[in-house]
Amino acid sequence: MAAQWSANGAALGSPDLTVVANQVFGQNVFSPAVQRQRLPHSVFKSLQEALARGGALDTSLADQIASAMKDWAMERGATHYTHWFQPLTGSTAEKHDSFYAPTGDGSAIADFSGKELIQGEPDASSFPTGGIRATFEARGYTAWDPTSPAFILENPNGAFLCIPTAFASWTGEALDNKIPLLRSMDALSGTAIRALRLFGHEQAQRVFTTVGPEQEYFLIDEQYYFERPDLVTTGRTLFGAKPPKGHELDDHYFGSIPERILACMLEVERELAKLGVPIKTRHNEVAPNQYEVAPVFENSNVGCDHQQLAMQQLQAVARRYGLVCLLHEKPFAGVNGSGKHNNWSMGTDTGMNLLDPGDTPADNIQFMFFCAAVIQAVNKHQALLRASVATAGQDHRLGANEAPPAIMSIFLGAELLRAFEAAESGEPVSDSEKGFLGLGTPVLPPLPMHGGDRNRTSPFAFTGNKFEFRAVGSSMSLSLPNTVLNTIVAEALDDLSSKLETATEAGTPLEEAVRAIVKESWTANKQIVFEGDNYAEEWHAEAQRRGLQNLRTTPEALPWLLEPQTLEAFGRYEVLSERELHARYDVLLEQYIIKVNIEAETAAAIARTMLLPASARHLAELRAADLPQLASVVASLIEDFSTAIGKLEQTNAAHAGEEGSLDHAAYMRDEVLAAMAEVRAIADKLEKIVADDLWPLPKYSEILFIK
Ligand code: ADP
Ligand code: MG
């Protein structure tokens, strides 16, 4: 079927894109441009002013905004609206309400009030709360986030209006991923503005953190997907022998994109364009059938919302092409997994990127100050940063020589490293090797060289004018890692600003004071900087010597959410209270336990009801063919297999440790995952000897190579 695929009549064609009507970008977004057309001028102005300031909106304007939004949405076929929010499941939630209400005379009118725009009250009893709310207390509120524009999601049979909202308990505690992110953006803005004032900048009113996520994913033929109960239930293959060819030849990376895949990507991008998601790049990734897509960066809040939409559209559109999009961090053992590179920076409302080093970073004392704050923050909170990306799926990826290790470190690049080393030694900065690169033939142009190479193995790399946090998982929401980054950098900026204030008040000239503070911070935190190969064994030993944390698994990492220094930083900026952090810890721990449990049950069921019978049939055939030697090999494998399955079932039947506790999670990791691995090892051996027509699961060589 895959080989025979052809566009199924819904081809999008190639319209003339110089014709305005053919441009779809933002078509389904209630964007500032649409608002300007639709809202009374005074309302539009107040709304934009509130957004620019990051301040509160006058709620008396809500009725007019709601009414304009409804008219606009109905013109586009929307019959319903929903408060679209991001509970602690990591995905998005929506409950649709019709615009229509009966009038009593047998007809109905469409209505949407300001009250309905601003606040919703979903029966929210079944979302994870981490104990913030008992299950019988169902009340939760959704609150309109005017800083992320509303949009319309289309279906062939209609459409509905999505209003990005925050989700809180009726006591006002955050039950979602948006509230802490917004709070952390406020925290960072406040401290960054404070620092900018010390440098004499009076104009900027607000600093936004920015995010540009590069999303990796797999696309596989849907027939294989539906023949694999493990993929359907857990998102990853729990069985599968190594295929003869994996990604060793590196022939897939940046390779030409197969036609069916490209058709799918083009439609995904078109759908995302309508939603105002500015997709910019696409390419083949390292593993077979693995791809990547990335947008232009946006402010963290909008960027995180758009990232959720990108994952949804990838999954939805893939089905139109007979494909399934896999977002799991490690769908195939022994083959590269998928991550998300979280490009992060800070920019002012006046358009200044605070992590732009300029041509001579060593002389750019403001850049050095902000960069030193990031280094200090990442060093101090390295374990928390690791915890912010800890999930069951990630444990198969981080540290597996394909993704950054579980050890957090920063790559600065030669040029920045020289600048900081000069700041420490007080010597003038040695010459950078910029200049031009000749390619040995006059027909090719000389290329300007960068001040430093890249390092793709680093979990946290400086890449020109931003840091790239590369340890985020492919299926994850971006919110928690960015909330952590914003909060810890806010804390470091405050620390350095206080020192700067003290020094300048004591009469030290600004430049001298900054240089002294940068030097001090660098010396105290440079242990986190590592320019070498993060995959190398030597680095692990070296990191241990330096005293860096190496938290290999989720149960090791999560407790850092509750460390005193975490509570202190999050409490100080009111990003997450102790109770809210506890709730998140509980939810993440519970999700880890539940996911491993589901995998174990799925693995046991597949092994017992699919693989064992297939192996037994194969054995019977060998015996019938009077091949006792071959039969005895299979028979003994089957014996081992049956024992291992029994052990897995038993191990997973009764868990040790108090339900939902760290001990429970450690049991799942040490006993249940280990028992699964034993079953798999034997199954993968059987896969290689059982008759192919009897083996019930599609193999890696099929799933990964049929495009
Ligand atoms: P590469 O694969 O070389 O890292 P890509 O072009 O695939 O580069 O992705 C780079 C990402 O970084 C893009 O999403 C881009 O928008 C984002 N980015 C660029 N500048 C910033 C910034 N100031 N803040 C956040 N993200 C940024
Ligand atoms: Mg990248």
Side-chain angles (χ1 to χ4, degrees):
M1 280 173 71
Q4 284 173 11
W5 175 84
S6 65
N8 54 10
L12 304 175
S14 314
D16 177 352
L17 293 177
T18 62
V19 176
V20 179
N22 287 335
Q23 292 166 8
V24 296
F25 189 81
Q27 182 179 291
N28 285 342
V29 183
F30 194 65
S31 60
V34 175
Q35 293 165 20
R36 188 186 296 114
Q37 286 169 9
R38 297 280 180 152
L39 292 172
H41 185 64
S42 62
V43 177
F44 174 70
K45 249 185 80 188
S46 314
L47 179 58
Q48 290 309 313
E49 276 168 15
L51 297 187
R53 274 196 325 271
L57 177 73
D58 178 355
T59 49
S60 67
L61 306 176
D63 274 329
Q64 291 176 71
I65 299 172
S67 155
M69 222 187 245
K70 181 206 70 190
D71 290 345
W72 169 81
M74 288 182 66
E75 283 169 24
R76 273 156 190 75
T79 52
H80 289 64
Y81 70 94
T82 178
H83 277 195
W84 185 79
F85 58 103
Q86 298 169 34
L88 297 179
T89 53
S91 37
T92 60
E94 54 195 59
K95 174 191 164 209
H96 301 191
D97 271 297
S98 173
F99 284 128
Y100 290 96
T103 53
D105 63 359
S107 64
I109 58 160
D111 192 29
F112 183 51
S113 69
K115 209 175 117 248
E116 288 165 310
L117 167 64
I118 289 180
Q119 185 177 9
E121 198 202 313
D123 174 356
S125 50
S126 292
F127 292 111
T129 70
I132 278 204
R133 204 182 38 191
T135 5
F136 62 89
E137 295 167 327
R139 191 161 277 185
Y141 294 117
T142 50
W144 177 38
D145 168 18
T147 61
S148 182
F151 54 90
I152 290 172
L153 284 181
E154 293 173 310
N155 177 284
N157 295 340
F160 59 100
L161 171 68
C162 294
I163 300 156
T165 54
F167 178 48
S169 73
W170 78 281
T171 46
E173 277 149 321
L175 292 179
D176 73 346
N177 284 318
K178 187 187 268 285
I179 296 177
L181 178 65
L182 287 170
R183 291 177 184 160
S184 75
M185 289 172 71
D186 287 342
L188 187 124
S189 179
T191 59
I193 290 287
R194 175 186 178 203
L196 284 173
R197 296 287 183 266
L198 297 175
F199 281 90
H201 288 286
E202 296 301 331
Q203 269 196 329
Q205 297 299 315
R206 187 149 175 97
V207 169
F208 290 95
T209 50
T210 47
V211 65
E214 301 160 56
Q215 170 79 52
E216 292 176 339
Y217 60 98
F218 281 85
L219 288 174
I220 64 166
D221 193 83
E222 71 179 1
Q223 184 176 343
Y224 296 137
Y225 176 82
F226 289 119
E227 286 176 9
R228 299 268 331 201
D230 46 1
L231 277 179
V232 173
T233 310
T234 71
R236 75 178 179 106
T237 53
L238 303 173
F239 300 97
K242 193 183 166 307
K245 175 181 187 289
H247 49 74
E248 300 85 354
L249 290 173
D250 290 331
D251 50 352
H252 190 70
Y253 189 51
F254 281 16
S256 77
I257 305 174
E259 187 171 320
R260 172 161 69 148
I261 303 297
L262 183 57
C264 173
M265 287 175 171
L266 288 165
E267 186 161 346
V268 170
E269 290 172 20
R270 190 183 144 99
E271 290 300 324
L272 288 172
K274 288 194 220 164
L275 294 167
V277 182
I279 295 299
K280 179 88 171 160
T281 65
R282 65 171 97 98
H283 63 80
N284 281 7
E285 257 301 330
V286 174
N289 274 352
Q290 191 188 31
Y291 310 95
E292 181 183 295
V293 62
V296 176
F297 68 95
E298 299 178 278
N299 88 50
S300 303
N301 180 39
V302 173
C304 287
D305 284 357
H306 281 171
Q307 169 59 27
Q308 293 288 349
L309 287 175
M311 291 194 288
Q312 266 171 25
Q313 291 300 325
L314 275 169
Q315 290 179 303
V317 174
R319 297 298 308 280
R320 296 176 204 160
Y321 293 83
L323 297 164
V324 170
C325 171
L326 304 180
L327 291 175
H328 193 282
E329 281 74 19
K330 191 74 177 175
F332 305 99
V335 176
N336 259 24
S338 301
K340 197 139 48 192
H341 290 179
N342 185 104
N343 293 274
W344 178 92
S345 188
M346 308 170 262
T348 64
D349 54 356
T350 52
M352 175 172 38
N353 179 352
L354 299 176
L355 290 179
D356 184 352
D359 286 337
T360 48
D363 300 330
N364 185 345
I365 55 165
Q366 181 186 305
F367 165 77
M368 292 296 280
F369 182 88
F370 277 90
C371 194
V374 177
I375 297 169
Q376 175 171 323
V378 172
N379 184 40
K380 176 173 178 186
H381 293 284
Q382 48 181 282
L384 175 62
L385 215 46
R386 165 68 181 93
S388 77
V389 295
T391 66
Q394 286 274 80
D395 287 2
H396 301 289
R397 195 178 80 95
L398 296 182
N401 277 7
E402 53 163 64
I407 308 162
M408 292 296 137
S409 70
I410 299 180
F411 171 82
L412 288 178
E415 188 174 33
L416 276 198
L417 190 62
R418 271 197 301 272
F420 277 103
E421 282 170 348
E424 186 174 23
S425 66
E427 310 268 312
V429 60
S430 51
D431 263 352
S432 91
E433 284 144 26
K434 276 189 197 167
F436 288 89
L437 191 65
L439 295 179
T441 158
V443 298
L444 295 174
L447 301 180
M449 264 177 89
H450 289 102
D453 199 356
R454 288 179 164 225
N455 181 328
R456 68 181 190 91
T457 67
S458 174
F460 201 89
F462 186 77
T463 45
N465 56 7
K466 57 186 159 76
F467 278 97
E468 188 168 334
F469 183 28
R470 300 199 178 113
V472 183
S474 51
S475 71
M476 293 181 59
S477 157
L478 295 174
S479 292
L480 185 58
N482 284 285
T483 301
V484 166
L485 267 175
N486 297 346
T487 309
I488 64 179
V489 173
E491 181 192 51
L493 277 173
D494 251 349
D495 178 52
L496 299 187
S497 296
S498 297
K499 289 180 177 146
L500 185 55
E501 231 165 48
T502 312
T504 50
E505 274 164 19
T508 316
L510 180 72
E511 174 154 355
E512 194 185 322
V514 173
R515 289 197 186 279
I517 289 164
V518 167
K519 175 180 173 178
E520 188 197 14
S521 175
W522 165 257
T523 311
N525 295 291
K526 67 178 179 185
Q527 61 156 4
I528 194 77
V529 173
F530 177 62
E531 304 286 298
D533 179 1
N534 283 258
Y535 299 171
E537 269 314 312
E538 303 87 78
W539 165 233
H540 294 216
E542 162 71 12
Q544 195 174 9
R545 268 195 298 282
R546 292 190 192 184
L548 300 182
Q549 297 284 346
N550 185 2
L551 306 166
R552 290 187 184 82
T553 65
T554 299
E556 285 167 278
L558 286 181
W560 282 87
L561 288 171
L562 303 178
E563 276 294 305
Q565 66 170 28
T566 308
L567 300 182
E568 147 73 22
F570 276 73
R572 176 161 167 204
Y573 297 101
E574 299 182 338
V575 173
L576 286 168
S577 69
E578 189 167 344
R579 216 166 104 90
E580 288 169 324
L581 275 168
H582 262 281
R584 256 143 248 264
Y585 168 78
D586 284 345
V587 168
L588 291 170
L589 207 56
E590 187 183 38
Q591 279 166 354
Y592 176 84
I593 294 165
I594 293 175
K595 281 196 177 147
V596 176
N597 179 59
I598 292 173
E599 286 187 353
E601 286 188 23
T602 309
I606 292 175
R608 187 170 286 293
T609 66
M610 294 173 76
L611 307 184
L612 194 60
S615 307
R617 275 177 216 137
H618 183 66
L619 178 62
E621 283 192 13
L622 292 177
R623 286 194 174 135
D626 198 18
L627 295 164
Q629 267 179 328
L630 292 179
S632 87
V633 175
V634 176
S636 95
L637 267 178
I638 290 181
E639 280 303 313
D640 296 348
F641 195 37
S642 164
T643 312
I645 297 170
K647 189 170 162 219
L648 171 60
E649 288 164 339
Q650 201 185 7
T651 311
N652 197 40
H655 300 157
E658 189 194 333
E659 170 108 28
S661 68
L662 196 58
D663 288 345
H664 188 179
Y667 175 84
M668 300 309 283
R669 176 193 62 198
D670 300 335
E671 305 298 329
V672 178
L673 281 173
M676 277 170 67
E678 273 176 48
V679 172
R680 177 178 189 148
I682 305 169
D684 291 355
K685 278 189 201 154
L686 283 164
E687 182 189 311
K688 293 200 153 183
I689 54 172
V690 169
D692 188 66
D693 60 326
L694 293 176
W695 195 254
L697 296 175
K699 298 177 179 175
Y700 278 16
S701 51
E702 297 163 300
I703 305 175
L704 286 169
F705 291 93
I706 306 285
K707 296 173 204 273

